Amino acid sequence: MSKELMLRNIERAQRAIDENRETVKNGRMRQRYHFMGETGWINDPNGLIYYKGKYHFFYQYNPYYGHWDYMHWGHAVSDDMLHWEYLPLALAPSESYDDHMRGGCFSGSAIEHDGKLFLMYTGVTNDGKGFEQTQCIAYSEDGIHFEKYDGNPVLTPPEGVPSHMFRDPKVWKHGDTYYMVCGASRDNKAQALLYRSDDMLHWTFFNVLAESRGEWGYMWECPDFYQIGDKYVLMVSPMGAGERTVVYMVGDFDYETGKFSYQIDGEIDWGYDYYAPQSFVAPDGRRLIVAWANCWDWMPFWKDWGPAYKEGWCGFFNIPREVRMMPDHTLQFVPIKELSALRTDGYQADCIIIDDEELKLTAGDGISFEMKMEIDLEKTDADKLELYLRSDGEKRTVCTFDFANGELKVDRNSSDGWSRGISRSTLFLKNKKKLDIHIFSDQSSIEIFSDQYQNNHANNVFAAGLQNQIAARAYEGRVVVNHYESYKINECFV
Ligand code: FRU
């Protein structure tokens, strides 16, 4: 009976997608190369996996309209993470443990087990006792059609964890054992809970992998845990840690005790539109992460989700990034190399001098472009460099590299008549000879990577089609650019 209910709900969602697809396709704010849903609202990436020769992206999805509600799992596959084929929805609310308008099938992950594709997700319901979150399983023989496990839920919140603060399981395998880390809150402090299982179905609590003592907020959403070299990385999206909303920690882990001790913490991205990244391994061994390019209403800098809902959709993913470790064990987040296949209209120049007169720069059509530059810090004596992006002469996003005060700022206050705020990070240039800047712009977003991909800002900008000029200006001196290169980026969703 309930198997049929999920199928019926998937078909119903599919009909809504069919009805709205054309309208959304013609949306003016639609992204050209960032991953989007076909219609409606998307948030977190879920179940990212390379499975049987294809990349599978699942996503938190309300196919019906451009606001969060009633969570389904959308599903798409790709050969290159650029061009996507949408598949039928993987999960729809249908059971007593996951069928609620303000709940449904929340975030989770995927793993291959027993020749099948297994999903682990959080079921969210509310029978009048408040929201209840439990961990649930679904599986598929063909990687397309999923069935929920009869024994669901496989885990309920442990003692001391409120029923609405237990979510987002991320599974992996080590040796013959499956492990799962899950976000939780206890005594109003965030925890990452570690579980293990021999068969993917029966799970037992192992230990508290890591926890906040208050410094990292009261709840960690979408924890992820993986090894790079001989170190381990925990990524969390904390609630209640101010503007720190996507944190990574690097340290040591002991499979005997299930304890992680970290020596390093850093921010994956300082922009306002980068949340809930999930990692997976590409067939060539790269550790890749993908995040949701938006923010929640509980974040200190939130204004709204942007105007795209008027076009029947909202939300997209940031470009996938490769995680690399530096010799000092801090992390770099580098745009995937696959993106270079979309380049056209290349432009290159060496030794550009920027002074206090605005200099026009060329990059593709000024909307969907990639731009790279290397600044010679030894020859640069300016106090700051400003880049004006998505400009029409009046409106523009201002990106400031403030050498004198050691700060990087992205100012959206005059960007599009909609977005607000200035995202900031420390620009630490002591003993450095060069500063690298790498920018990806799309119809509705600007992603800025700098300082060896360790100082990154992803921000959404809903600029009109006429905002396609780019310029640069230096203050109190000159900026010497050793090398400049730019490209137009071809559209993927046609
Ligand atoms: C993170 C999150 C998750 C939850 C999902 C609901 O963005 O709040 O914790 O599972 O979104 O859509």
Side-chain angles (χ1 to χ4, degrees), residues 15-79:
R15 282 197 297 277
I17 295 172
D18 289 341
E19 274 166 32
N20 299 332
R21 186 182 286 114
E22 264 327 287
T23 317
V24 172
K25 230 182 188 168
N26 296 323
R28 283 189 317 125
M29 296 295 168
R30 250 192 98 87
Q31 293 285 60
R32 299 192 195 166
Y33 62 93
H34 283 75
F35 179 83
M36 289 183 48
E38 272 186 292
T39 61
W41 163 280
I42 79 167
N43 56 288
D44 311 353
N46 293 158
L48 308 180
I49 191 167
Y50 187 81
Y51 177 71
K52 295 200 172 146
K54 291 222 180 265
Y55 292 99
H56 289 247
F57 280 12
F58 300 85
Y59 43 100
Q60 286 288 280
Y61 191 30
N62 172 20
Y64 294 101
Y65 42 85
H67 288 288
W68 186 92
D69 247 339
Y70 204 41
M71 279 296 111
H72 298 60
W73 275 38
H75 187 192
V77 288
S78 171
D79 292 325

Side-chain angles (χ1 to χ4, degrees), residues 153-168:
V154 295
L155 278 173
T156 53
E159 189 76 35
V161 171
S163 69
H164 64 294
M165 291 282 181
F166 180 57
R167 58 179 176 271
D168 308 337

Side-chain angles (χ1 to χ4, degrees), residues 6-7 10-11 14 51 56 58 75 87-91 116-119 138-148:
M6 169 143 112
L7 287 179
I10 288 180
E11 278 164 22
Q14 220 63 56
Y51 177 71
H56 289 247
F58 300 85
H75 187 192
L87 294 179
L89 304 198
L91 298 176
K116 298 190 193 71
L117 185 56
F118 270 65
L119 307 180
Y139 36 73
S140 166
E141 300 271 352
D142 62 4
I144 300 175
H145 304 93
F146 289 85
E147 195 180 309
K148 290 175 188 169

Side-chain angles (χ1 to χ4, degrees), residues 155-349:
L155 278 173
T156 53
E159 189 76 35
V161 171
S163 69
H164 64 294
M165 291 282 181
F166 180 57
R167 58 179 176 271
D168 308 337
K170 176 78 198 302
V171 285
W172 74 96
K173 194 176 185 185
H174 179 80
D176 290 332
T177 308
Y178 292 93
Y179 293 82
M180 183 273 279
V181 61
C182 171
S185 180
R186 202 190 298 259
D187 300 328
N188 217 24
K189 305 220 171 54
Q191 291 190 324
L193 303 180
L194 184 62
Y195 289 82
R196 56 185 169 181
S197 165
D198 292 329
D199 61 3
M200 268 303 291
L201 298 172
H202 302 88
W203 292 87
T204 47
F205 176 70
F206 185 9
N207 209 343
V208 175
L209 179 70
E211 64 192 319
S212 163
R213 299 284 147 82
E215 81 286 31
W216 289 123
Y218 62 85
M219 172 71 194
W220 285 343
E221 296 193 306
C222 301
D224 198 339
F225 190 66
Y226 49 89
Q227 188 172 1
I228 295 194
D230 57 358
K231 288 284 174 186
Y232 288 81
V233 177
L234 175 66
M235 303 194 301
V236 293
S237 295
M239 303 175 84
E243 294 203 0
R244 306 290 303 270
T245 53
V246 265
V247 174
Y248 75 82
M249 300 158 195
V250 177
D252 300 301
F253 177 63
D254 182 358
Y255 269 107
E256 295 296 310
T257 60
K259 268 292 177 190
F260 170 65
S261 114
Y262 65 92
Q263 300 90 36
I264 287 170
D265 66 74
E267 192 74 6
I268 302 172
D269 195 293
W270 294 94
Y272 291 159
D273 297 295
Y274 193 92
Y275 194 66
Q278 186 176 93
S279 84
F280 68 107
V281 183
D284 59 5
R286 285 173 297 164
R287 176 65 63 169
L288 306 182
I289 59 170
V290 179
W292 169 48
N294 217 312
C295 54
W296 286 119
D297 44 2
W298 51 262
M299 292 181 185
F301 41 75
W302 183 81
K303 184 197 158 223
D304 53 45
W305 285 284
Y309 73 89
K310 293 180 185 163
E311 301 177 355
W313 65 278
C314 183
F316 46 89
F317 290 168
N318 301 91
I319 50 177
R321 303 178 183 183
E322 180 187 343
V323 183
R324 291 192 200 151
M325 192 169 277
M326 300 278 274
D328 67 356
H329 298 139
T330 57
L331 299 181
Q332 302 174 283
F333 303 97
V334 186
I336 51 165
K337 60 177 189 233
E338 282 82 348
L339 281 159
S340 62
L342 298 175
R343 291 171 170 174
T344 52
D345 297 350
Y347 173 87
Q348 306 219 2

Side-chain angles (χ1 to χ4, degrees), residues 363-369 389-391 441 467-470 488:
D365 63 357
I367 295 174
S368 175
F369 68 83
L389 304 167
R390 295 305 304 280
S391 166
S441 166
Q467 292 182 236
N468 60 1
Q469 297 163 30
I470 306 165
K488 178 177 184 323

Side-chain angles (χ1 to χ4, degrees), residues 407-418:
E407 195 176 37
L408 169 51
K409 289 189 284 196
V410 183
D411 184 343
R412 294 189 302 183
N413 286 330
S414 321
S415 61
D416 56 7
W418 189 281

